[in-house]
Structures are given as C-alpha cells and as structure tokens.
Amino acid sequence: MGWSRKDLLGLRQLSAEEIKLVLDTAVPMKEIIGRKIKKTPTLRGRSMATLFYENSTRTRTSFELAAKFLSADTVGLSASSSSVMKGESLRDTGLTLDAMGVDVVVIRHPASGAAEFLAGCIPAAVINAGDGTHEHPTQALLDMFTIREKKGTLAGLKVAIVGDILHSRVARSNIWGLTKMGAEVRVTGPATLMPPDIEQMGARVYTDTDAALEGVDVVNVLRIQLERQQQGLFPSLREYSKLFGINQRRLELTAPDAIVIHPGPINRGVEIDAQVAYGSRSLITRQVTNGVAVRMAILYLLTGGETNAIPH
Amino acid sequence: MQERDLKEKAQILDDKGMRRAMVRIAHEIIERNKGVENVALIGIRRRGVPLAQRLAKYISDIEGTNVPVGILDITLYRDDLTTLANQPQVHQTEVNFPVTGKKLVLVDDVLFTGRTVRAALDAIMDLGRPEVVQLAVLIDRGHREIPIRADYVGKNVPTSRKEVISVRLTEIDQEERVVILERI
C-alpha cells in the first residue's frame, strides 16, 4: 500500500499498515545517514518550513537535516522572532508560508489541535511536531523504529512508559502506535500525573513502578518537566526520583535484554540515573539518529507529486 | 499498466536461452576486464539483483574468483517522483564494499528508456568514485530517451512502445523465461 494522506497529525488516525510503511521506509533512509555523502536528490525543488512556537533542539534540527539530506530547501521560523510577536494568527502565518510556495509545514505549538487546525487552513502538507498535550507522532514513530530495529518486531512486546503521562504527547502517540502494532503498553507515574481515561486508549495503568517494570522488554522514560513540581503535582524532585526514577535496581526488574529509551532532553538523576542513561541498555543516542531517518521517511511519503487524496 | 491487462504475444527466451546469454555475458565481462581483479557487480532492484548474483556465480565457475555483489535501490534517484500520485516504496541499498577505484558492472533485466540506469549512475556516484562503470542487461528493447548504451547485452529485442517485456526469474516469479506482452 502507498501513503495517501496530505498531513501527519497523529498516530491515532493511522492504521498499522501506514505505521509499518513509515518504519519500512525509514530503513533505507538510515543507510543514507551512514554514508560519507549524506545526500540524495529525491526532494530537489521541494521546500519545508519549520514553525516552532516552543523551544526544541532535537526535533527541529532533525527535521531540517532530514529535509537537507533529501535535497529539499528549508526555512526555520520561531514564534519569538517572527510576526507572531506582532499578533499574527496561526492561520495567517500558515497562509503566508503557503503563499510563498512552501510544500511542507512542520509545526510545534503549545495548543493541542493546532496542527490539525493549520492543516485545514492550507493546501501544504502539515506535520505535527508536537501540539500541546495531544500528540507527537514523529517521536513515537522513531521510538517504535528504534525498538523494532533492536527487537526485530513490535508485536507481543511489553513496553512500560514511565512518568508524567498526563501532560505527555509522546506518551499518547506511543500508546496509539504501539497498541496498533500489537505491543502491550503499561503506564506508570505519580497519580497526580495520570489521566483518568488513559486505559480507554489501550494502556494498562500501574500504581507501583516496580510492578510495571516487571519483565518488560522496553522502558520508555518520559522527561519530567521541572515546572510540574512548582505546580505542586509532586512534592519534590528527590521524591520523584526515589519513587519513579529509573535506576540500576529498577532496571534489573525488566527482561534481561530490555532496552531503555527517552525522548530527551534528560534530567539526569531525576527520571533517569546517569548510570542507566549512559549504560549498555540505553538507546537514547541511537534514537536521535533514527529520528532523522524516520523524518526523512515522512517527508518522502508526504511530498508525493500530486495532491494526496485524503485530507487528514 | 498491470500484467493482468496484458496477454502474452511471444516467448523470447526460455530457461536454457537465458542461461546461455548470462554465461556469455560472464565470459565477456572477464575478457573485457582482463580477468576480474577489482571487478564488482551491482544489481538494480528488483530483477537486476538475482541476475547479478547469477553472473557472480558464473564468473566464479569460470575464473575461480568470487566477485562482490551489491544491491542498488534507485527509487530516491528517480526523475519522476514529483509527478507520481503515490511515492513508490523505497528499499535498502546494500553495497557493502567501497566502490571507489572499482570496475563496476551494473546489472539490470531490461534496458528501455535508460532513465533507470541514469538514476543508478547518480546513486553510485553518491557512494564513491569507481574507476569505470559498465552496464550489463539481459534484454535491450530500444526506445532510449537519454544517451545510454549497454556494454553487455543478452538479447536485443526490437519492440513497439505498446508492448511490455516481462523477464521472469525463478527467485522472484517461480518461472524462468522472457516474454513479450501486449495490451488486451
């Protein structure tokens, strides 16, 4: 099957076949990243704009490199240094980019649903690079690619997602994607950071972190945003680390060949110990490489010649 | 155009004919390169790959030397990507040897417009700088759109543009022959 969507807004609406197509396409893309000359002429004459209303290192750089490796032209906009500061609306910014001939807009926005809103305003392809607490599809796809690369499959694996599930778009996208691909997803974290409806997405909630980690094949550690503590959602970073932090002792509860992933940037000593983060089970650096490969795959699939049929 | 919309018009080669043509090409590769030192074969996905592997085996049988075989996927180098409604599936390029300084023989099943070979040449140049690149094809059916020619040809087959050449290999198609198809 081919790719028939105009945009990539989330994993909720993707089928298992579509997810597999992205992951399969990322395999040859990764081979290009390993070459001395990291460039193919595939997207020559295409252009991509990154429109970021929040800070980012990995995602933004990764998208820019992905586009450049495929010979697309890129332009980067930050809300802080653009007309957004003059009060320009998201729709008008999108229309402006579209009028300049941009083929793909990669958007990160603090409001859930922003990517979908923009996709409805402009004919250019829209890629959601994180919208509020809703979804971060490319992060989940690169997580799944990393897991599949190491384990050979996703079906039947036990994956524990640990941390602030309530505010995490990474967790949501991972749950949608992993469950569709046949993995068993467990979630654990402070009760104050656990949304009440999460089990309806197909994940199983564990109140005890140790129990959640028992025999899992993958531990996906979420970044704890330090301001959550200021909001009183958990008493202290130290307590968080003690109750939910992934350390060597907790790692021993997992399957013998379990892997640890983290979307980055890490808070060493809070959600993850340095010993684990830089240990042999950690694939955190590999995730970054795979992020470029997966985004190359997405850009390739989304920039088909004719306007793709299905709007979202 | 799907194969189901086509009917078989004539058989060009049977399994014996295909084998003879490939063995001859193996001999010609050895002769032209004065042996196989520094020679490597690169099959263009899909059907160029088993053909390259067969050539390597014949060369090994004749010369007693194993030549490396690489696999090239040219999808990312196609010149028609922006005109296709759906992007074709990309597969992996697997060239596990340095191409710089090598005498490369590109292998494909059918040479037609030459656009696939053009894309393959671009793909190879991104991997390194070979000393020489030669082209081996099982069938040359003419109708070139760019100035490209084969160094080694199994069989020249004059065709009309409406016809389709179908090379069927045991490894992929579970049968071994070359046929001309025409629209029903």
Side-chain angles (χ1 to χ4, degrees):
Chain A
M1 64 156 283
W3 182 270
S4 53
R5 293 175 189 272
K6 171 179 149 315
D7 312 295
L8 175 68
L9 304 175
L11 295 195
R12 185 177 188 168
Q13 55 273 73
L14 293 196
S15 66
E17 290 74 25
E18 286 171 308
I19 292 170
K20 185 176 180 296
L21 177 63
V22 175
L23 302 183
D24 289 348
T25 306
V27 174
M29 297 301 182
K30 189 167 178 179
E31 183 265 327
I32 294 164
I33 300 169
R35 292 181 192 178
K36 207 167 177 178
I37 300 171
K38 300 172 179 57
K39 207 162 189 77
T40 69
T42 317
L43 301 184
R44 201 162 54 91
R46 300 279 169 161
S47 56
M48 177 193 86
T50 54
L51 178 57
F52 275 56
Y53 289 77
E54 284 179 2
N55 296 335
S56 159
T57 303
R58 281 163 193 70
T59 308
R60 186 177 191 150
T61 311
S62 177
F63 266 112
E64 290 200 11
L65 281 173
K68 287 182 160 113
F69 290 166
L70 292 174
S71 300
D73 295 305
T74 65
V75 61
L77 275 90
S78 296
S80 56
S81 59
S82 68
S83 289
V84 173
M85 295 311 284
K86 300 178 185 175
E88 185 172 57
S89 71
L90 173 57
R91 181 171 180 269
D92 286 345
T93 306
L95 288 170
T96 303
L97 288 172
D98 195 71
M100 289 178 179
V102 164
D103 298 296
V104 183
V105 178
V106 179
I107 179 173
R108 169 167 291 186
H109 200 285
S112 299
E116 189 165 346
F117 170 77
L118 182 66
C121 298
I122 57 173
V126 172
I127 300 174
N128 181 4
D131 60 335
T133 60
H134 174 229
E135 284 225 41
H136 191 350
T138 58
Q139 179 66 48
L141 287 164
L142 78 89
D143 289 348
M144 286 191 278
F145 181 87
T146 306
I147 297 167
R148 194 182 76 161
E149 191 180 47
K150 189 74 182 174
K151 300 283 179 188
T153 181
L154 292 165
L157 292 181
K158 295 187 181 78
V159 182
I161 303 175
V162 186
D164 178 359
I165 309 294
L166 178 65
H167 300 98
S168 178
R169 52 199 179 204
V170 174
R172 279 177 185 75
S173 288
N174 262 286
I175 294 167
W176 290 124
L178 286 164
T179 50
K180 279 177 184 163
M181 299 307 281
E184 177 198 315
V185 183
R186 306 171 178 186
V187 290
T188 185
T192 50
L193 298 173
M194 189 61 70
D197 57 348
I198 202 80
E199 290 206 323
Q200 289 168 20
M201 290 173 66
R204 195 166 156 204
V205 176
Y206 283 72
T207 48
D208 176 7
T209 307
D210 287 8
L213 295 173
E214 194 64 53
V216 296
D217 303 290
V218 182
V219 186
N220 193 343
V221 190
L222 300 175
R223 172 182 167 75
I224 193 79
Q225 291 189 297
L226 305 179
E227 64 267 28
R228 304 289 174 221
Q229 194 252 321
Q230 316 295 328
Q231 296 165 351
L233 291 164
F234 56 92
S236 72
L237 293 178
R238 195 171 156 178
E239 185 185 88
Y240 182 91
S241 168
K242 196 163 180 284
L243 292 174
F244 306 102
I246 301 302
N247 51 32
Q248 208 57 41
R249 180 192 71 76
R250 286 209 165 102
L251 202 54
E252 276 157 28
L253 301 168
T254 63
D257 58 349
I259 56 171
V260 178
I261 56 175
H262 187 303
I266 63 172
N267 292 308
R268 258 176 313 178
V270 182
E271 73 263 6
I272 189 165
D273 257 22
Q275 202 185 351
V276 176
Y278 302 112
S280 60
R281 306 272 203 93
S282 166
L283 295 180
I284 296 171
T285 309
R286 193 192 289 198
Q287 279 175 278
V288 180
T289 309
N290 290 346
V292 179
V294 163
R295 288 171 180 123
M296 286 167 79
I298 294 291
L299 287 171
Y300 170 75
L301 293 169
L302 252 61
T303 49
E306 301 302 307
T307 305
N308 290 324
I310 304 171
H312 300 313
Chain B
M1 200 165 18
Q2 299 288 321
E3 267 204 31
R4 63 174 175 271
D5 305 325
L6 301 160
K7 71 171 193 304
E8 190 173 320
K9 185 178 174 186
Q11 179 169 295
I12 303 163
L13 285 172
D14 60 7
D15 56 340
K16 290 189 185 71
M18 285 166 76
R19 189 178 181 284
R20 286 184 200 116
M22 292 301 285
V23 171
R24 174 175 51 77
I25 290 174
H27 278 286
E28 287 175 353
I29 289 170
I30 296 162
E31 186 182 15
R32 181 177 301 203
N33 294 293
K34 299 180 178 67
V36 287
E37 195 187 343
N38 239 1
V39 168
L41 307 179
I42 292 192
I44 300 175
R45 276 192 200 275
R46 271 178 90 194
R47 287 175 180 75
V49 176
L51 290 176
Q53 286 159 342
R54 291 180 194 191
L55 275 178
K57 185 190 171 296
Y58 299 145
I59 289 170
S60 169
D61 292 346
I62 299 159
E63 283 290 286
T65 307
N66 291 324
V67 293
V69 180
I71 297 172
L72 200 65
D73 184 277
I74 56 104
T75 312
L76 296 174
Y77 292 82
R78 285 172 63 152
D79 61 5
D80 57 357
L81 285 174
T82 52
T83 62
L84 299 169
N86 270 324
Q87 300 293 52
Q89 171 100 45
V90 192
H91 295 282
Q92 185 133 14
T93 286
E94 295 170 46
V95 180
N96 302 320
F97 50 85
V99 302
T100 300
K102 281 269 189 318
K103 295 174 181 170
L104 290 186
V105 182
L106 267 179
V107 184
D108 206 0
D109 57 345
V110 179
L111 177 57
F112 181 24
T113 61
R115 289 177 188 270
T116 298
V117 176
R118 197 277 316 154
L121 290 171
D122 277 355
I124 282 172
M125 298 310 165
D126 278 353
L127 298 176
R129 190 176 184 278
E131 182 190 318
V132 61
V133 182
Q134 298 162 355
L135 175 63
V137 295
L138 181 60
I139 305 290
D140 183 347
R141 62 167 294 190
H143 302 288
R144 218 72 79 239
E145 289 170 4
I146 39 183
I148 278 174
R149 59 155 182 77
D151 300 273
Y152 312 101
V153 180
K155 194 174 174 68
N156 284 294
V157 182
T159 57
S160 106
R161 275 192 167 271
K162 290 176 188 160
E163 293 167 332
V164 171
I165 297 277
S166 176
V167 173
R168 293 168 186 177
L169 305 174
T170 313
E171 296 90 330
I172 295 170
D173 313 289
Q174 290 73 51
E175 61 172 333
E176 192 73 8
R177 59 201 196 110
V178 181
V179 292
I180 293 191
L181 307 171
E182 63 180 353
R183 214 186 292 258
I184 296 168

